[in-house]
Amino acid sequence: LAVITPGEPGALPRVAVEDERYRGRVRLHGQSYSLEISNLTLADRGEYKLEQNTIGHNVHFCDYHLTLYQRLSQLEIKIHPVMAGNSTCNVTFTCSAGEGAWNLTYTWTGPAGGAVLSTKESLLVQHRLGDEDTPVTCTATNNVSTSSANASPKAACEGPTLPQTPALSYCRTKGLLVLGVLGSLLAGIVTAHVLAAREQTRPGEERSFPCAC
Ligand SMILES: *[C@@H]1O[C@H](CO)[C@@H](O)[C@H](O)[C@H]1NC(C)=O
Ligand SMILES: *[C@@H]1O[C@H](CO)[C@@H](O)[C@H](O)[C@H]1NC(C)=O
Ligand SMILES: *[C@@H]1O[C@H](CO)[C@@H](O)[C@H](O)[C@H]1NC(C)=O
């Protein structure tokens, strides 16, 4: 990081900052030989070592551990729903405070300041399709701050915009491909219906397709 050389008696020591990352951020405090590093970033945390070489004496070492915490920003809750059969959805919520966040404690609580459900990063909730929602809250804490976020099992399992077709939200990723295929089938079926309708002048029927992933 830096090499400090004592000056002649009465003169200040010389400071040579060897490591580019610390240029302009290092200050030596007069004769006390205290080194100050300013404008810290998380990359500065870790072990620091002082090596003191005195001519004619043994080398002397000191170790310093620098711990840094960053204020938590908004939490992100990742959602992983899996259909478990029998109209039940297993949804795993994972609380994420972003990169650089470490040494966190997590608390998952039920609705309206309810019971503690888990103190792990992830929480598994079983939601029966059509049942009432039971929102959960993740609260993450590090040594300097606290942040929380809410998640809805009902929205995760049934989808916020498609309450009538829960299977769609569950299948959304694979669903696009399936929908493409269904779209082609539908076009074929509609054509067949139109042809049939021309013969019979009967109103067409609406069809719904189960998601097949
Ligand atoms: C520390 O950062 C502030 C704001 O970015 C800047 O104004 C200041 O000059 C910096 N100080 C040092 C010693 O780099
Ligand atoms: C859903 O969760 C229950 C309870 O934890 C578990 O027994 C079951 O195996 C899970 N099913 C799936 C498909 O993940
Ligand atoms: C499905 O849910 C119903 C209603 O809760 C229950 O009676 C039944 O035993 C369940 N079936 C299976 C296979 O879990």
Side-chain angles (χ1 to χ4, degrees):
L1 195 166
V3 177
I4 316 295
T5 316
E8 297 302 311
L12 288 175
R14 278 183 292 119
V15 185
V17 179
E18 305 274 296
D19 189 329
E20 245 174 59
R21 291 191 302 137
Y22 293 93
R23 294 241 164 94
R25 298 199 289 138
V26 167
R27 188 157 83 95
L28 191 73
H29 282 259
Q31 304 290 357
S32 74
Y33 286 82
S34 295
L35 193 76
E36 178 183 319
I37 304 171
S38 54
N39 284 10
L40 295 170
T41 70
L42 285 179
D44 294 325
R45 70 172 173 234
E47 304 295 332
Y48 288 79
K49 190 189 286 282
L50 166 74
E51 189 183 313
Q52 188 180 332
N53 300 288
T54 316
I55 293 161
H57 292 81
N58 290 336
V59 177
H60 177 71
F61 295 102
C62 278
D63 289 311
Y64 300 89
H65 184 79
L66 178 64
T67 308
L68 295 169
Y69 297 94
Q70 197 171 37
R71 282 188 190 286
L72 294 173
S73 51
Q74 188 58 46
L75 297 180
E76 187 196 342
I77 297 183
K78 297 194 172 96
I79 296 166
H80 182 63
V82 176
M83 288 309 293
N86 207 8
S87 304
T88 302
C89 166
N90 279 7
V91 56
T92 305
F93 294 115
T94 305
C95 205
S96 165
E99 281 179 34
W102 67 290
N103 205 18
L104 297 178
T105 58
Y106 298 94
T107 313
W108 285 95
T109 48
V116 172
L117 304 171
S118 170
T119 53
K120 299 208 170 71
E121 192 174 356
S122 292
L123 175 73
L124 173 71
V125 177
Q126 284 201 290
H127 173 76
R128 280 184 58 84
L129 300 184
D131 274 7
E132 289 275 291
D133 199 14
T134 52
V136 290
T137 303
C138 172
T139 303
T141 304
N142 67 7
N143 291 39
V144 295
S145 62
T146 288
S147 183
S148 36
N150 299 320
S152 153
K154 193 177 178 72
C157 290
E158 303 181 21
T161 53
L162 300 164
Q164 265 83 53
T165 53
L168 273 184
S169 71
Y170 158 57
C171 296
R172 199 170 283 154
T173 44
K174 295 181 206 162
L176 286 176
L177 183 62
V178 176
L179 281 177
V181 174
L182 285 178
S184 319
L185 283 175
L186 195 59
I189 289 165
V190 167
T191 311
H193 268 250
V194 168
L195 290 175
R198 275 185 189 158
E199 286 172 19
Q200 300 186 5
T201 60
R202 183 164 59 88
E205 58 184 300
E206 281 190 17
R207 278 166 175 260
S208 63
F209 295 90
C211 182
C213 57

